[in-house]
């Protein structure tokens, strides 16, 4: 077990936080930020690393990321200074980002965080979008809670 513990410690010592996006990697900027195949016009804002990895695991998104490191929470004493929010404004103004995708969990604190980011970036010449919310694939309406149904109804889309 000692050789395994030693290898885990070596790995932990190699991992650093990306100075650009907040991802964890063995180099900074990370392999996502430096990948020339990435669409630099898209920036997906996520709460935590697990959210970034969920997108990466499914290979469903090819843009860049910005990891906040949590969400605003007055009750837990987490304000804008505790999150990776300072760099997002600078990052968008200095880059070629055309769309910011807010991929924050639709909790009360997540909604507050998303609104804060929208207010922070609203004067920039950039499209801001949010992930769709509502009825999950395979879900049945009679099992959904009132909040989910409300969001699904109010964010409905025209059929083209």
């Amino acid at each position: 077990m000692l050789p395994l513990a030693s290898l885990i410690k070596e790995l932990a010592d190699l991992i650093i936080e990306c100075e650009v996006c907040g991802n964890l990697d063995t180099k900074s900027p990370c392999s996502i930020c430096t990948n020339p195949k990435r669409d630099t016009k898209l920036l997906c804002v996520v709460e935590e690393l697990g959210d970034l990895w969920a997108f990466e695991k499914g290979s469903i998104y090819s843009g860049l990321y910005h990891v906040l490191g949590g969400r605003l929470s007055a009750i837990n004493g987490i304000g804008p200074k505790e999150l990776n929010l300072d760099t997002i404004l600078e990052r968008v103004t200095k880059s070629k980002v055309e769309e910011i995708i807010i991929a924050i969990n639709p909790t009360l604190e997540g909604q507050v965080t998303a609104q804060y980011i929208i207010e922070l970036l609203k004067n920039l010449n950039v499209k801001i979008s949010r992930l769709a919310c509502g009825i999950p694939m395979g879900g049945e309406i009679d099992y959904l809670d009132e909040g989910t149904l409300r969001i699904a109804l109010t964010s409905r889309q025209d059929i083209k």
Side-chain angles (χ1 to χ4, degrees):
M1 302 225 16
L2 291 177
L4 178 61
S6 176
L7 288 172
I8 290 172
K9 180 172 180 348
E10 283 180 43
L11 181 61
D13 291 341
L14 289 174
I15 295 175
I16 57 174
E17 186 175 302
C18 177
E19 63 199 36
V20 178
C21 72
N23 186 20
L24 294 181
D25 203 331
T26 56
K27 61 182 180 174
S28 182
C30 71
S31 56
I32 292 175
C33 289
T34 57
N35 185 339
K37 294 181 180 175
R38 290 285 176 166
D39 186 348
T40 58
K41 296 175 186 170
L42 295 173
L43 182 66
C44 184
V45 180
V46 295
E47 286 180 30
E48 302 286 351
L49 282 172
D51 302 329
L52 179 152
W53 293 336
F55 280 102
E56 286 300 294
K57 178 176 59 177
S59 300
I60 55 174
Y61 174 74
S62 61
L64 300 175
Y65 295 96
H66 190 86
V67 181
L68 295 176
R71 59 184 171 257
L72 297 173
S73 174
I75 200 162
N76 293 317
I78 301 172
K81 295 200 183 302
E82 284 73 39
L83 300 178
N84 186 16
L85 284 166
D86 294 341
T87 57
I88 194 168
L89 186 60
E90 177 184 339
R91 190 170 175 197
V92 172
T93 56
K94 290 184 177 180
S95 68
K96 297 176 182 170
V97 171
E98 293 177 6
E99 181 179 0
I100 298 168
I101 303 165
I102 299 176
I104 296 176
N105 294 312
T107 61
L108 181 60
E109 292 170 334
Q111 300 287 56
V112 170
T113 305
Q115 194 56 46
Y116 183 88
I117 294 168
I118 291 166
E119 288 297 316
L120 185 68
L121 302 173
K122 73 179 181 183
N123 293 327
L124 299 178
N125 188 21
V126 63
K127 177 182 177 182
I128 301 173
S129 62
R130 292 204 56 188
L131 291 183
C133 297
I135 303 171
M137 289 297 295
E140 295 187 28
I141 292 173
D142 58 335
Y143 290 110
L144 299 175
D145 64 278
E146 184 179 302
T148 301
L149 282 173
R150 181 181 298 111
I151 290 171
L153 188 59
T154 57
S155 61
R156 66 188 182 276
Q157 299 177 5
D158 293 337
I159 297 174
K160 298 175 182 176

